[in-house]
Amino acid sequence: MSKLKTNHKVETLIWLTIVAVFFVFSFEFNQEIEIYKFGATGWPRVIVGLLLLVTLGNFLHLYKKGSEAQFGRVGISDDEEEISYDGIGSIQKLIAILALPLIFAWSLKPVGFYSATPVFIALTIMLLGEKRIKWVLGITLFIYLVLILLFMVILNAPLPQGNISPFYDFSAFMLTLNTKLHQSLNY
Amino acid sequence: MVDNFLAGSAALFGDPFTIGVFIFGVIGGMLFGAIPGVSMLTLAAILLPFTASLEPAQGVMLFAVIYCTGTYGGAITAILFNIPGAPENAPTAFDGYPMTRKGQSGKAVGAAVLCSAIGGVSSALIMMVATEPLANWAISNIGPPEIFALVFFGLAVASSVGGRTMWKGWMSVLLGLLIATIGQDPVGGINRYNFGISDLAAGIAFVPAIMGFFAVSEIFVQAEKKAVGMYKAPKLSLDFPTILELWSHKIAVLRSILVGFFCGILPGIGATLAAFMGYGEAVRWSKNKDSFGKGNIEGVISSETANNAATGAAMIPLLALGLPGGAMTALMVGVFQMHDLEPGPMVFYNSPELIWIVFAAMFYANVSILFIGLLETKTILHLLKIPFQFLAPMILLLASIGSYIGRGLVLDVMIMFCTGIMGFLLRRSGYSIPGIVLGIILGKIGEQNFAQGMQMVHYDVLEYLSRPICLLLIIAGFLTLFTGIYKALSYTFKS
């Protein structure tokens, strides 16, 4: 009897889509290489072909055994709990947790590291369940200062500065402070 | 050799500034290895420009020391947080993290400290005695066909661990290989799969991908548990393993030293494959296979011994042939080039003092893992006490900085978070994250060596297989592959 569930079908469909996309896009660079018989597409197409085969093997396993782990597999923990969502609230929270870093990464170019970071820290702490505002602000400040001290002051690491005012101006202000600090330490 | 070693030691400890550089390397490597979210590669990438102001010997020595101590440091995060500090620590997490969940973090970390030191010191000693003969052997016996065969064997081993089924193990590895095809092809330099994004022409940098798959995905896994109220803080324990307990695993240690050294000596392979092979062999020879992945200390021992045994060996192709064995040794080539030096056979004749300072520093760095490592461990273990909501943003930001610094691209931070989300979803469905990462790392190496090997033998498969080491590794790879398929199919059709 089939043990297939909707999520198994979706999973297989995603893998087949990956296979199809990578196979179709391989025609974009289907050029011969004079010194190499298999060209630029040989290796990726073999991988795509093998991926198709193991996806079918996986589908067979899902059909017969569902999500059951294969007996004797090494390196998988047997104490992974099944996550159960108690309502729409926890799903929304998870989506926010997953989306926030993407928004942070996207904001690095226009806003810059120096301005985006404190907001990101505070929001992450709050999303992870901290409700005490004093703690949120205190820990945000602490993490921000540690990062600035380590990467800006000590290691002089180049971090994104942003390109929109007033964020860019704030980054410039931070870097000027750093330069002055280094000058005062050197002379 | 002893005279050279003593001369190297004298040069190392005779100058206060060189001692300072050595201590900075030891502590910096351990800290950056042990702080979740960043790695020794982050530190090395930041320090690279500064090495121009150091003496060549100090610069290369600094990187070699960071390599030794950073490889150990990455085990701490793998054990405590399920976030391997570097890909070579990934198999350590298989058993190290379950041990933490059982309240045995002290035992796991203690085993990692001791075995990293044993693996590293043995490797440094063999490196000092045998760099030249081993390099000569490698030149005459190891070529692209052998390297491809080892990559194939390594991937077959990686597919057999980590995933919920054999199919998922292979799907993970193949996904990694597919990601590695993004960027220029290694033979003709033709752009592949850049989807119109010009920054992708250089491929997916592996540091952001690794940070995403390991660190960010683990944060998301824990955050999900927090969101649904199922989060449990890991248990802190400071009970280190007894000498007797570790002595009972002496065979595993010896085997991992051999495996690690052999993998390390091969150009392009490095410590990552060594750790996977060390772990795989420990499982293969164990009478208690089912206990692996559930908190078997031998898993930690074999992985950590093998990856540190590879550090000394990886210096052999770098110093003797000028071929880097991995990302860290590739950065060391950068240090050489900054000082108008080329690593290779001539370094032994032109700068013997540099070679022996590096050898001595690596030896002492591995010894210091034992002493400083134990002290550091007692401090680092207290990281487990920090509430998750405060630790998570710190890890995410450190990982963001670590990803950005390598190439100065915001795209890399974006890639890191995207791979983090991918890793989170794949882990939930029982795929192997270390398998994906190994695929990414070995993909280009495998393709390049396959292409070179095929050109060498004029596409004659029989000639390819007439090379004994190559044949042996290919047979071992196919045996692992077919055993896996047989087990998977017989399980699927068993009622």
Side-chain angles (χ1 to χ4, degrees), chain B residues 90-293:
Chain B
T92 309
F94 289 156
D95 284 283
Y97 188 61
M99 285 181 77
T100 297
R101 292 177 65 134
K102 286 180 186 169
Q104 297 173 347
S105 53
K107 277 196 174 183
V109 174
V113 170
L114 190 67
C115 294
S116 295
I118 291 172
V121 168
S122 319
S123 175
L125 287 173
I126 303 172
M127 173 182 74
M128 283 189 255
V129 175
T131 291
E132 277 188 71
L134 279 174
N136 290 334
W137 175 81
I139 290 170
S140 49
N141 290 290
I142 304 289
E146 283 74 21
I147 294 175
F148 170 74
L150 187 67
V151 166
F152 170 63
F153 182 32
L155 292 175
V157 170
S159 72
S160 64
V161 293
R164 202 181 280 162
T165 61
M166 189 280 295
W167 305 112
K168 289 194 169 174
W170 268 110
M171 286 162 89
S172 309
V173 168
L174 289 167
L175 179 66
L177 291 175
L178 207 53
I179 292 172
T181 61
I182 297 172
Q184 291 182 338
D185 99 271
V187 186
I190 296 166
N191 278 335
R192 297 190 300 205
Y193 300 124
N194 60 9
F195 304 107
I197 302 168
S198 57
D199 286 338
L200 279 183
I204 302 267
F206 71 80
V207 170
I210 289 163
M211 295 283 185
F213 278 120
F214 285 147
V216 179
S217 72
E218 178 63 23
I219 293 293
F220 289 155
V221 167
Q222 299 302 333
E224 182 189 36
K225 288 183 183 168
K226 193 100 178 150
V228 297
M230 290 173 73
Y231 176 78
K232 283 182 216 142
K235 295 167 198 157
L236 172 69
S237 90
L238 286 169
D239 54 332
F240 284 174
T242 59
I243 296 293
L244 206 65
E245 207 172 336
L246 291 173
W247 181 248
S248 62
H249 299 284
K250 56 189 178 297
I251 302 294
V253 171
L254 275 173
R255 190 175 46 231
S256 293
I257 289 173
L258 292 176
V259 170
F261 200 84
F262 177 67
C263 290
I265 202 173
L266 302 178
I269 302 296
T272 309
L273 192 57
F276 274 90
M277 302 275 274
Y279 186 86
E281 289 310 306
V283 176
R284 195 194 298 269
W285 293 99
S286 172
K287 286 176 187 156
N288 195 8
K289 290 185 177 63
D290 292 345
S291 63
F292 281 87

Side-chain angles (χ1 to χ4, degrees), chain A residues 11 22 35 65 68 74 85, chain B residues 162 193 224 431 455 491 494:
Chain A
E11 187 182 325
F22 274 80
I35 55 165
K65 300 278 176 183
E68 205 177 296
V74 170
Y85 289 93
Chain B
Y193 300 124
E224 182 189 36
Y431 292 91
Q455 288 165 321
Y491 181 76
K494 198 172 77 179

Side-chain angles (χ1 to χ4, degrees), chain A residues 30-144:
Chain A
N30 192 12
Q31 300 170 36
E32 278 187 17
I33 301 172
E34 207 174 313
I35 55 165
Y36 184 47
K37 190 174 156 184
F38 301 122
T41 50
W43 180 266
R45 281 183 182 169
V46 168
I47 295 169
V48 165
L50 290 172
L51 191 55
L52 178 65
L53 284 179
V54 287
T55 301
L56 296 176
N58 186 51
F59 184 73
L60 187 68
H61 177 91
L62 294 172
Y63 182 82
K64 290 268 188 189
K65 300 278 176 183
S67 299
E68 205 177 296
Q70 184 186 323
F71 178 75
R73 288 291 293 173
V74 170
I76 49 167
S77 181
D78 60 349
D79 54 359
E80 287 293 323
E81 307 108 310
E82 194 66 38
I83 302 286
S84 55
Y85 289 93
D86 49 4
I88 194 81
S90 43
I91 296 175
Q92 281 172 341
K93 203 183 233 181
L94 179 69
I95 292 171
I97 289 168
L98 295 179
L100 183 63
L102 287 177
I103 297 168
F104 168 70
W106 170 82
S107 72
L108 283 176
K109 218 167 196 172
V111 177
F113 179 84
Y114 300 98
S115 306
T117 298
V119 181
F120 173 70
I121 300 170
L123 288 177
T124 308
I125 293 174
M126 282 158 67
L127 273 174
L128 291 174
E130 183 59 60
K131 293 191 177 86
R132 296 165 296 180
I133 293 298
K134 274 184 191 169
W135 277 87
V136 173
L137 294 176
I139 297 294
T140 300
L141 190 68
F142 175 74
I143 294 176
Y144 188 63

